[in-house]
Amino acid sequence: MKSTAIANANIALTKYWGKREDKLILPHQSSVSVTLHGLTATTTVEFDKKYSQDVFLLNGQEQSGEELERVVDILNILRQRAGSALHTKVMSTNNFPTVAGFASSAAGAAALALAASKAIGLSLDEIELSILARQNSGSGTRSVSGGFVQWLRGEKNDGSDSYGIQLANEKHWPEFRILACITTRQAKKIKSRAGMKQSVANCPYYSAWKESANKDSDEMKKLILKKDFTALGQLAEHNCLKMHAVMMATTPSIIYWNEKTVQLMHAIIEWREQGLECYFTMDGGPQVKIICLAKDVAEIIKRVKEQGIDEVLECRPGEGVRSTDNHLF
Ligand code: 2P0
């Protein structure tokens, strides 16, 4: 009863920041992301009577506390569904640095959902997998499918209508690129989960953010289908700035940017004015993700390096979660 799955990270073009329900991970707003080729989490799950408890290793380190609990939550859902009492060993590795600031938990959540459900003998469809991944990490619901994905907020209290749907697959827009610019190697101080909870409770702008982010998500869907790069970039940047405004206006304040983040934001606006079309987006961290097209990648990377930022990761739209026989143990 062993199975292994590979899933890619994703980057939100309109963001998720805030839960309406913590345990099931139900968001206040729909969000839209692109799944990223080459940034993978690989996860092997084995259910066996030789295990007396659930063990979870991430990048070689045994996990405890909240990290372990989040995995056990998924295992418990599956055990109940399959009528099994077996314990597991779960091993997961990411091939990209956590510092890159992609919701690293997203790829892991999607890989866990597929590997664990198969290992216990269940065959789940894409929606069921997305709902399962969501309960490990919200953004994980968007890494089940490839290409461009919308996580529907849903209305129901049981979460059965809150999952990721593919808007267009990874072949829809082959020129689309994300450049992750690493502005610092320091770990961030406030985790997204804790930060967004504070924002929901203590940001006076929260309801405005919730409403406008939902509208942005539906608009983003249209722009992706039309491949309207300019409008997409403008909306992604605007949506990101609104999310960071909410973070900053939370008590206590959440400020993820450093001086290089701000320097790069200004530079990108200037490059655009000079005719080099690119847009920024930042998540719960200081790294700047540049949204651009393949034809401009070399020039943009050159200019980013001139700003004193040496590490840049280039990503294109990638595939959804899939199984492999290359088990980690
Ligand atoms: C996103 N982020 O839409 C937003 C933008 C960070 C900023 O999803 O608590 O790791 O596991 O649901 O998914 C990061 O939050 O949080 C995130 P949980 P998650 O990509």
Side-chain angles (χ1 to χ4, degrees):
M1 299 185 78
K2 188 191 276 190
S3 181
T4 301
I6 303 179
N8 294 336
N10 69 72
I11 173 94
L13 300 172
T14 71
K15 312 289 187 185
Y16 144 59
W17 191 255
K19 297 175 179 67
R20 60 190 163 90
E21 207 282 325
D22 287 341
K23 180 72 185 153
L24 290 170
I25 310 192
L26 300 176
H28 271 300
Q29 59 285 118
S30 298
S31 52
V32 173
S33 59
V34 55
T35 305
L36 299 171
H37 177 76
L39 304 185
T40 61
T42 304
T43 303
T44 298
V45 180
E46 182 178 44
F47 286 87
D48 197 286
K49 57 182 184 309
K50 71 186 171 197
Y51 301 120
S52 58
Q53 57 182 24
D54 295 316
V55 180
F56 171 40
L57 292 109
L58 177 60
N59 296 326
Q61 295 209 313
E62 187 166 345
Q63 304 292 303
S64 58
E66 196 192 328
E67 298 306 318
L68 175 64
E69 276 167 34
R70 288 164 69 157
V71 169
V72 171
D73 284 348
I74 301 302
L75 300 171
N76 284 341
I77 292 168
L78 291 169
R79 277 190 282 252
Q80 197 180 20
R81 238 171 124 159
S84 168
L86 291 173
H87 285 107
T88 63
K89 179 172 173 181
V90 177
M91 193 182 269
S92 188
T93 58
N94 294 332
N95 78 343
F96 56 95
T98 309
V99 74
F102 293 108
S104 55
S105 54
L112 173 69
L114 180 59
S117 56
K118 278 193 135 185
I120 208 165
L122 294 171
S123 175
L124 304 186
D125 64 25
E126 216 161 279
I127 290 176
E128 291 173 308
L129 282 175
S130 184
I131 287 173
L132 190 60
R134 190 200 72 222
Q135 292 171 80
N136 177 254
S137 182
S139 51
T141 208
R142 301 187 310 232
S143 271
V144 169
S145 304
F148 296 85
V149 178
Q150 184 174 35
W151 174 11
L152 302 170
R153 173 195 186 277
E155 298 297 330
K156 294 182 183 168
N157 290 334
D158 67 359
S160 59
D161 58 353
S162 183
Y163 50 80
I165 49 160
Q166 187 178 63
L167 301 174
N169 73 18
E170 58 273 27
K171 298 194 178 93
H172 169 68
W173 202 343
E175 306 84 15
F176 194 90
R177 290 291 182 278
I178 299 289
L179 304 178
C181 307
I182 314 299
T183 61
T184 176
R185 293 214 132 251
Q186 274 182 351
K188 63 182 187 186
K189 292 202 182 88
I190 305 166
K191 290 194 171 176
S192 295
R193 185 163 291 197
M196 65 176 81
K197 200 172 164 71
Q198 284 171 15
S199 290
V200 174
N202 298 322
C203 176
Y205 307 154
Y206 195 81
S207 63
W209 154 249
K210 181 174 88 176
E211 278 160 34
S212 79
N214 269 311
K215 286 187 194 134
D216 290 350
S217 159
D218 285 334
E219 180 62 19
M220 184 58 77
K221 171 181 170 179
K222 292 180 200 153
L223 299 175
I224 287 167
L225 296 177
K226 279 199 290 188
K227 294 207 241 181
D228 184 338
F229 182 69
T230 299
L232 179 150
Q234 286 170 349
L235 180 60
E237 215 175 82
H238 173 65
N239 178 273
C240 156
L241 288 171
K242 280 189 292 197
M243 177 183 73
H244 282 272
V246 165
M247 292 164 167
M248 290 177 196
T250 295
T251 313
S253 62
I254 304 164
I255 304 173
Y256 282 119
W257 301 343
N258 61 33
E259 63 280 13
K260 288 248 164 143
T261 315
V262 178
Q263 179 190 325
L264 209 45
M265 288 160 65
H266 285 294
I268 288 163
I269 293 168
E270 207 175 296
W271 300 340
R272 227 164 39 221
E273 283 165 5
Q274 294 163 1
L276 181 63
E277 195 173 10
C278 54
Y279 302 87
F280 57 75
T281 187
M282 289 79 66
D283 287 310
Q287 319 303 15
V288 177
K289 321 296 178 2
I290 301 180
I291 304 165
C292 63
L293 295 172
K295 67 180 173 62
D296 296 321
V297 164
E299 177 63 23
I300 294 168
I301 291 180
K302 183 177 138 260
R303 293 194 191 191
V304 169
K305 293 198 169 169
E306 283 166 7
Q307 296 287 322
I309 294 158
D310 296 324
E311 266 184 284
V312 185
L313 233 73
E314 180 186 349
C315 311
R316 59 184 162 86
E319 58 279 53
V321 67
R322 61 269 181 207
S323 291
T324 170
D325 291 331
N326 294 327
H327 303 305
L328 295 176
F329 62 91

